[in-house]
Amino acid sequence: MKPTQIAELIANIKASFVSFFSILMFVAMGVGVFSGIFWSSPALQTAADKVFNEGNLHHFQVVYPYGLTNDDVAKLSALPDVDDVEAGYQAIQDYESDNGSFCVKLQTMGRNIDELIALRRIPAFKLTDINKL
């Protein structure tokens, strides 16, 4: 840039300093928001991975409508980077009461996986308590 252009730029900025400053602040806020979004993703991923590993939580769940056999569990255990495999059962049932119908899901808990969840107290729930919902 020529010296006269620089002098004219500075003169224009001085003449409308409030407008220049507000545009500068909008740009700074945009950069800040972008930086926060950009850097929070790896931090959240690292924190979630730490919780999964410390609590021995399951990383994925294999569900098959007709059930898995012991051979299927053995094949899953043989996969690389698989530390533990547990089989469980679940049932989904519709329950009808005077207050309406509800969908109830019953699921077994493993003994080795999801230790963090197993250490917490699971609230006692009777089938008759659904009527109070």
Side-chain angles (χ1 to χ4, degrees):
M1 281 175 69
K2 296 180 182 176
T4 54
Q5 290 176 327
I6 294 174
E8 185 181 354
L9 178 67
I10 292 173
N12 285 337
I13 289 173
K14 284 182 182 178
S16 59
F17 181 73
V18 174
S19 299
F20 174 76
F21 186 72
S22 57
I23 290 171
L24 189 67
M25 287 296 106
F26 277 115
V27 170
M29 273 196 299
V31 169
V33 168
F34 174 76
S35 299
I37 291 172
F38 183 77
W39 288 106
S40 66
S41 174
L44 289 173
Q45 189 173 11
T46 303
D49 202 32
K50 182 179 176 185
V51 169
F52 269 76
N53 290 336
E54 286 179 359
N56 200 18
L57 299 177
H58 69 278
H59 291 272
F60 62 92
Q61 180 176 359
V62 178
V63 179
Y64 187 64
Y66 301 111
L68 297 171
T69 64
N70 290 336
D71 293 336
D72 296 329
V73 172
K75 288 178 185 176
L76 288 171
S77 297
L79 291 174
D81 296 331
V82 173
D83 295 333
D84 198 4
V85 175
E86 278 188 338
Y89 300 97
Q90 72 178 10
I92 300 174
Q93 185 67 39
D94 289 331
Y95 173 74
E96 294 192 23
S97 69
D98 297 336
N99 296 337
S101 67
F102 302 94
C103 183
V104 179
K105 180 178 180 180
L106 301 172
Q107 185 169 322
T108 60
M109 289 186 63
R111 296 187 186 276
N112 299 325
I113 300 178
D114 295 341
E115 293 172 2
L116 185 68
I117 297 171
L119 293 176
R120 295 184 181 162
R121 182 179 174 272
I122 298 173
F125 188 77
K126 298 176 185 170
L127 205 54
T128 56
D129 291 340
I130 292 177
N131 291 330
K132 298 175 186 173
L133 295 177

